[in-house]
Amino acid sequence: MDKKKIFWTTILTLTVFLGSGICSHAQFKKGAYTQNYNDTTYSSKRDTTEKLFSFKEYFGGLAHKNTIKIGNMFAGAVVLPGTAQIYNKDYWKLPIIYGGIGVCAGLGGHYLHQYNKSVKAYEQWFKGVPNNMNLTIDPRPQINYSAKKAGTWLMVGAGLIYWGSLMDGVISYQSDRTPLPGRATLYSILLPGLGQAYNGEYWKIPIYWGGLAVAGSFLYNNNVNYLRFKRIHNEATNPDSGYNQNISAETAKWYRDVYRRYRDYSILATTLVYLLQVIDANVFSYMHDFDVSDDISMAVEPTIITPDPNANALNRSTTPGVSNAVGLRIGFRF
């Protein structure tokens, strides 16, 4: 670089720093020097931190006396199903929710109870059979696997109705903001990828679904192998099991521990992918209205730095002769 350019660049830089340094004290408001941060009259009620959940606000919202944030409405509906429909004034949905959950859970519990009774009857019969008796002869109690299947599916149905009531509450929540960050977050919590669809970022859905599918596949396979080698190890270390396979107890223990560690890693990976898509839906719904212009530029121009007339009088008196100063103003456009 030319020596002349270096000289004038240095002079200009020093001018800017000296000008801003002399007059910087005048830019602070009077309150910055007089604020008493130990003021005992400052009560916690004036604190700007909002409560995460207020029962008064929540039940007041159910009585339609005030509004409830979508997150608080969802949290209450998790504990008390149907309250989201009450807040949204969809009262006709309550019999469907309560009736569906009640019927499915009641019948499911009944069939599972029948299955458990059949298992206990079979175990009691098996224990009472002499060793020299043929176990295939009748009358032998039968395990009611059909009752188990029916009860399991009915319980799944009750869970789906409960999940549907939460999803319906989030969908029906009234808000003037679109997209609503809370809605996008809850969508992703209830159904991975739905928050991205709500934000209009459909291209992200295959990425997160693929990540969850891969992590879930590893989780399933590692758990199967862990349980397998755990069973082998238990049989190999039990002298009454009659174990005579080629895998030794030490080998089974090594593989059991390895697959258990891999299973735990798979759980962590699945959880991280799930949380990542929830965070992604929340963040990008907040940034939905953030507009970045194609005109990105920087402007540097001279300016006059004027002291603040409201600056502390005592502070001004310690530096007499303070007046306007010449400086530079830097502006960014994006």
Side-chain angles (χ1 to χ4, degrees), residues 22-26 305-307 315-325:
I22 293 174
C23 301
S24 61
H25 68 278
I305 302 177
T306 304
N315 183 66
R316 288 194 319 216
S317 64
T318 58
T319 54
V322 174
S323 59
N324 295 348

Side-chain angles (χ1 to χ4, degrees), residues 188-211:
S188 290
I189 291 175
L190 292 169
L191 182 63
L194 187 58
Q196 283 70 32
Y198 174 70
N199 291 336
E201 299 173 320
Y202 300 98
W203 62 273
K204 293 182 179 179
I205 298 176
I207 298 175
Y208 288 119
W209 280 5

Side-chain angles (χ1 to χ4, degrees), residues 9-27:
T9 301
T10 305
I11 294 298
L12 180 61
T13 303
L14 290 174
T15 302
V16 172
F17 280 105
L18 288 174
S20 61
I22 293 174
C23 301
S24 61
H25 68 278
Q27 307 306 312

Side-chain angles (χ1 to χ4, degrees), residues 114-115 117-119 121-122 137-145:
Q114 294 298 322
Y115 166 73
K117 284 178 60 177
S118 67
V119 170
Y122 179 82
I137 63 173
D138 291 326
R140 180 181 61 171
Q142 300 294 321
I143 298 179
N144 193 349
Y145 290 105

Side-chain angles (χ1 to χ4, degrees), residues 39-107:
D39 186 4
T40 58
T41 62
Y42 189 86
S43 63
S44 60
K45 294 182 179 180
R46 296 169 57 190
D47 195 355
T48 58
T49 303
E50 297 180 359
K51 296 180 181 179
L52 293 178
F53 188 86
S54 171
F55 286 100
K56 182 179 180 180
E57 175 189 349
Y58 181 73
F59 288 107
L62 295 183
H64 305 295
K65 296 180 180 179
N66 54 263
T67 59
I68 309 176
K69 293 182 178 179
I70 189 171
N72 291 342
M73 182 202 69
F74 179 81
V78 169
V79 180
L80 300 174
T83 52
Q85 284 68 34
I86 294 175
Y87 177 73
N88 294 328
K89 298 183 179 180
D90 294 329
Y91 304 107
W92 63 272
K93 298 177 182 178
L94 296 177
I96 300 175
I97 295 172
Y98 293 137
I101 294 177
V103 170
C104 290
L107 289 176

Side-chain angles (χ1 to χ4, degrees), residues 90-219:
D90 294 329
Y91 304 107
W92 63 272
K93 298 177 182 178
L94 296 177
I96 300 175
I97 295 172
Y98 293 137
I101 294 177
V103 170
C104 290
L107 289 176
H110 170 74
Y111 282 115
L112 291 177
H113 178 67
Q114 294 298 322
Y115 166 73
N116 292 330
K117 284 178 60 177
S118 67
V119 170
K120 290 181 180 179
Y122 179 82
E123 291 176 348
Q124 291 176 356
W125 174 85
F126 187 82
K127 292 179 181 179
V129 174
N131 293 331
N132 58 353
M133 178 180 256
N134 187 359
L135 298 180
T136 61
I137 63 173
D138 291 326
R140 180 181 61 171
Q142 300 294 321
I143 298 179
N144 193 349
Y145 290 105
S146 60
K148 178 184 179 182
K149 183 178 180 180
T152 300
W153 281 110
L154 285 167
M155 285 299 183
V156 170
L160 288 176
I161 295 173
Y162 171 76
W163 174 86
S165 69
L166 298 177
M167 179 66 77
D168 173 78
V170 175
I171 294 173
S172 302
Y173 182 85
Q174 300 295 323
S175 175
D176 296 333
R177 180 171 180 177
T178 303
L180 181 64
R183 197 194 309 273
T185 304
L186 295 175
Y187 276 162
S188 290
I189 291 175
L190 292 169
L191 182 63
L194 187 58
Q196 283 70 32
Y198 174 70
N199 291 336
E201 299 173 320
Y202 300 98
W203 62 273
K204 293 182 179 179
I205 298 176
I207 298 175
Y208 288 119
W209 280 5
L212 289 172
V214 171
S217 176
F218 278 108
L219 172 59

